[in-house]
Amino acid sequence: MASIVPTTLRCNLLTDPLAVADERPRLSWVLKHAESGAKNARQTAYQVCVSSREPGDADLWDSGRTESAATFDIVYEGTALEPFRTAHWRVRVWDETGEQSEWSCAAQWTQAPDEWPAKWIRYYDPQGRARPFTLKGAHWIWHEDESPMKSPPGVCFFQATFELIETERIDVVASADDSFVLRIDGEEVCRSDGEPHSWSRPQHCKIELSSGEHAIEAEVENCNEGAGAFIAKVRSASGQTVTGKTWQARKQDSNDWKGVQNLIEYGGAPWGELREKELHLPPYLDLSRSFQIERPVRRAVLYSTALGLCRFHVNAKPAHKDWFAPGWTDYDKRLHYRAHDVTRLLTAGTNCFTAELYDGWFAGYIGFKPERNHYGEDTWLSAFLRIEFADGGHQTISTDEESDAGIHYVNYGDFLMGEFRGPHEPEISNAWAENSNRILEPYPMNPVEVYATVPAKQMHTVGTATVFDLGQNFAGVCRLQLDHLDDEQSVTMRHAEVLNEDGSLYTKNLRTARAEDTVVGDGYPVDWTPRGTYHGFRYVELTGVKDPPLDAVTGVALSNIHELASTFECSDRRLNKLWQNIQWTQRSNFIEVPTDCPQRDERLGWTGDIQIYARTAALVGDVQAFLRKWLTDLSDTQREDGQYPMVAPLKVAGDDGGPAWSEAGVIVPWALYQVYEDEELLERQWDSMVRFMSFCESRSPDGRAPEEYHCFGDWLNVDAETPNDLIFTAYFARSADLLARIANVLGKNASHYMQLFKRARRSFAEEFVENSGAVKGDTQTGYVLALAFDLLDGSLRKGAASNLVENIERHGHLTTGFVGTKDLLLVLRDIGRTDLAYKLLLSDEYPGWLFSVKHGATTIWERWDGWTPEDGFADPAINSFSHYAYGAVGQFMFETIAGVRLLEPGYKKILVAPEPGPLTSCRAEYDSVRGQIAVDWEISDGQFKIKVSLPPNTEAVVRTPDGEENQVGSGEWSFECAHIK
Ligand code: BGC
């Protein structure tokens, strides 16, 4: 029997993917020991067999026995698959003694469609009812008897009539100089807000009216000698009624209705464009397609995409468990589609698939402006169902002009603002259908899914509201369950990460994100989970319901990272909490793109944050597919001249990332190469990286900062501003160095980049470093960059190291921002001062990691002083409580406390060298690309004892704290030595 077995078969990094576009996808597996106790196990050969049937022969491909230790990036070299065909594959391996394993369980992949048969559909909106409702088209009017723009103070009435064909909710907007009260059929519907210049803030309302004729009347007061004016608009399914010559006017002291004069059309002077209703939250759509099935079905796969967010039901049952399809890319360049097996949902006879279509990243609010419609105004859907029948035939049902489109009018879902759901039936009409030649690609990673439910731990009341504490900050939504809601009773959930002292929600740090979900009852129980939004929160405030039970709300946590790749537990509970906080923060921010934060009006793929955090990210979860996808987003947004942006996809923020942000384009691929030995990714990104480096070089041949450039600096440092030009040169050098190394990996000529690195290094020493090793600015970040990026030789390096130590001792704490924190503790370890690293790590004073833990944090804060006992909450403009950058300390924790470091890419060779410091035990596991690595050490009875478990195909140096080194292969090993304090 062989010592190893292949498990966890994947194709293009996914388990049994339903849409693989490549003709030559990449296959992988993970080796396990066949029996516990096995040691030094290695794969010496493999055989992959791929069949068009299951179980089957290798009619598509038989790799034959291939002498190789490779377990990933095995390129399929068999017959190209026809679209929709499934390949079944398995693998067996030979171990170090030439013994052959059993065949693995079978896995599969299905070839993607080669063309997209479906049309694009949307709701056809002739009245523009889903568009922002403004006064456009209406005239400012006044009584015909008074001179325009010069009327005496007093009250004037205006009236008109309009007709509705059926009962419906109509939109009304009005404004007046100086103030108005508006009535319909004698009932007041809205009035000016009573504040100065109320004419500049038109008032909006929606009211339900029955069919027939209705009278609209305004009572308008002109307070001073000067312009008196009124403007209004009513919008219904039958059309619009706007102020103009058809209206009538009468003075307060007269009963005579007379004509009106048009003063100016909306938009004209002196009133100009008014600040219309600040939020525009258009309704979500229901798009559906009915079809017949007359023969037994073997398999049915639904392929779908959208400009917007789509969620499908087939025959009223949920068709998938993933959220936020089709995800976020630079929609102008590429769009993903998803494939879901829906066989079990079909029935004989009439069937129907339906999609709810929300605004999402495409048309909703995203980023800090706040702005919407980033990619377009109208949301679109395109989908087809491919049904394979038991008799061998097949049929395709596509979105087209036969589809229906429903619009809800009041119900909406928006990422930042929240969701509204009332028991309103949608209005349904034929869908508008168009062809499009957009380039579609299969979704390349694990989608956003629910990875945890978070029950409320406790609740308290604030006024008439109930505030639930879920005990954990996370990204997602709340499921609301209530036994009963009256007709028209509306219940609102507001979300926040933290509370004010009086127990109410603190929402200032959300900036313009409203984070508010409302449901309106219909006399039945409520079980509602919003689907077109998400929030970053720990607390939920419920209003509109009296004495709700604790289980009325349950958190639903969402992320692309479902499984964790590691565990970490040491003798200091505070550090364990810190590790958990890192995990929660990462999952809260790995939502389609690596976001900076999940709560405020931002949620962008900030380049700086992820380059700082990438190595830790890969310890927390398997992020290979996720970050590969994001690197495509990054390349898609790369500027013409080669510069990388601040955020990818590029929206809201700028296209010039500046030092420490733009280098994400080089640092993240390198990090993925280190962790996953992903050479193919380096190859894929190579041209993009070269263009970036050429841009850097053209701006600065020797790495010295040019006259003008953008730089965020050492973001959120503690009163220790590192000179921008130093950060510029350091990161320039780092990129050149990495390009040289990447060239070497890819077998390309590295000499140019080596020269460039040398030049930049020289510039750095000349510009910023004194003979004593003092670095310009004398900041911890300056020293850390010099040391981490290997920018100094010999005595200068030594000098910089002692200056760093001296600086930390002088301050008594860290002073680093995003840029310096990344490598601070790793550098201290590498200069032999792990003791000082521990001191910083274990301090629970501000500023430091355990300060937030001491104050009850359940996630990583954006800033060291997010909240302090002295000053309370920090500047709400920049104060997220779920920001992963400072969580980059996770790399130090795993490498130094657990002691697991990679010596060769992909953990082929590992260093296990825990440095216990003041700790007495640590147990950790990590699912590397080569299998699970586990470490368990403790200090007892004056002895340091360690157990190490290594997967097949790896070797390690296990170094005990006494300096003794042991070379080992795979399997379980134990060592011990005397514990020296
Ligand atoms: C983000 C950061 C980002 C920064 C740029 C902020 O608004 O939240 O994480 O890197 O802007 O300085």
Side-chain angles (χ1 to χ4, degrees), residues 677-869:
E677 203 181 333
D678 195 342
E679 212 174 300
E680 200 268 340
L681 175 71
L682 295 183
E683 192 69 70
R684 193 190 86 181
Q685 296 297 120
W686 175 253
D687 288 348
S688 166
M689 295 189 272
V690 166
R691 288 207 299 120
F692 168 66
M693 207 60 234
S694 314
F695 161 76
C696 297
E697 226 185 313
S698 67
R699 214 171 37 161
S700 154
D702 59 1
R704 279 173 230 253
E707 286 263 298
E708 276 183 25
Y709 59 100
H710 155 73
C711 181
F712 284 116
D714 186 19
W715 191 245
L716 298 178
N717 64 75
V718 187
D719 297 328
E721 214 57 68
T722 302
N724 283 352
D725 51 357
L726 183 157
I727 299 178
F728 183 100
T729 305
Y731 268 90
F732 182 107
R734 179 64 174 162
S735 288
D737 182 20
L738 292 184
L739 254 99
R741 294 187 207 205
I742 293 167
N744 280 330
V745 172
L746 298 177
K748 300 182 193 285
N749 188 344
S751 60
H752 174 70
Y753 298 110
M754 282 159 82
Q755 290 308 322
L756 204 55
F757 176 47
K758 271 196 195 149
R759 273 212 301 276
R761 234 172 152 253
R762 198 174 320 125
S763 303
F764 188 88
E766 285 172 10
E767 286 282 316
F768 308 118
V769 191
E770 291 169 21
N771 288 341
S772 62
V775 168
K776 182 177 163 189
D778 187 34
T779 63
Q780 293 170 17
T781 294
Y783 295 115
V784 166
L785 292 179
L787 296 165
F789 294 171
D790 186 23
L791 304 179
L792 305 175
D793 287 323
S795 63
L796 287 189
R797 186 177 167 83
K798 268 208 179 117
S802 44
N803 272 292
L804 170 63
V805 169
E806 189 274 324
N807 184 306
I808 294 170
E809 281 166 352
R810 178 161 28 100
H811 283 95
H813 57 72
L814 58 76
T815 62
T816 49
F818 279 24
V819 172
T821 303
K822 152 84 174 72
D823 285 311
L824 176 63
L825 301 194
L826 295 171
V827 160
L828 287 173
R829 177 194 72 196
D830 292 345
I831 62 169
R833 292 303 306 267
T834 307
D835 60 322
L836 193 52
Y838 267 115
K839 225 167 143 186
L840 294 179
L841 179 64
L842 294 175
S843 158
D844 63 6
E845 297 296 318
Y846 162 80
W849 290 273
L850 295 186
F851 175 74
S852 67
V853 170
K854 180 170 76 179
H855 290 293
T858 60
T859 34
I860 303 297
W861 295 355
E862 177 176 24
R863 47 196 305 151
W864 299 115
D865 61 351
W867 181 89
T868 60

Side-chain angles (χ1 to χ4, degrees), residues 473 495-499 506 509-510 536-539 598-600 859 879-882:
N473 192 346
H495 304 75
E497 297 183 289
V498 283
L499 297 181
Y506 178 82
N509 68 328
L510 307 186
F537 66 105
R538 167 177 168 168
Y539 300 96
Q599 72 298 87
R600 69 178 176 223
T859 34
N879 198 15
S880 142
F881 290 91
S882 185

Side-chain angles (χ1 to χ4, degrees), residues 868-942:
T868 60
E870 300 77 29
D871 300 325
F873 294 117
D875 177 7
I878 314 169
N879 198 15
S880 142
F881 290 91
S882 185
H883 233 78
Y884 52 59
Y886 291 147
V889 71
Q891 187 186 350
F892 171 86
M893 291 170 70
F894 215 86
E895 288 191 354
T896 314
I897 302 176
V900 179
R901 267 196 255 181
L902 54 81
L903 291 177
E904 281 181 24
Y907 290 87
K908 195 170 173 192
K909 193 153 185 203
I910 305 158
L911 173 66
V912 181
E915 297 183 48
L919 305 176
T920 54
S921 71
C922 181
R923 183 199 297 230
E925 293 163 335
Y926 173 60
D927 291 326
S928 79
V929 67
R930 287 195 156 79
Q932 191 175 80
I933 302 163
V935 171
D936 183 358
W937 63 258
E938 66 168 336
I939 295 166
S940 62
D941 308 328

Side-chain angles (χ1 to χ4, degrees), residues 368 511 595-597 599-610 612 646-647 653 657 661 710-713 715-716 818 862 877-880 883-885:
F368 49 74
R511 306 195 306 211
T595 62
D596 53 339
C597 53
Q599 72 298 87
R600 69 178 176 223
D601 53 354
E602 189 125 20
R603 312 183 191 188
L604 303 169
W606 281 97
T607 45
D609 305 38
I610 190 59
I612 286 161
M646 298 176 187
V647 295
W661 268 253
H710 155 73
C711 181
F712 284 116
W715 191 245
L716 298 178
F818 279 24
E862 177 176 24
I878 314 169
N879 198 15
S880 142
H883 233 78
Y884 52 59

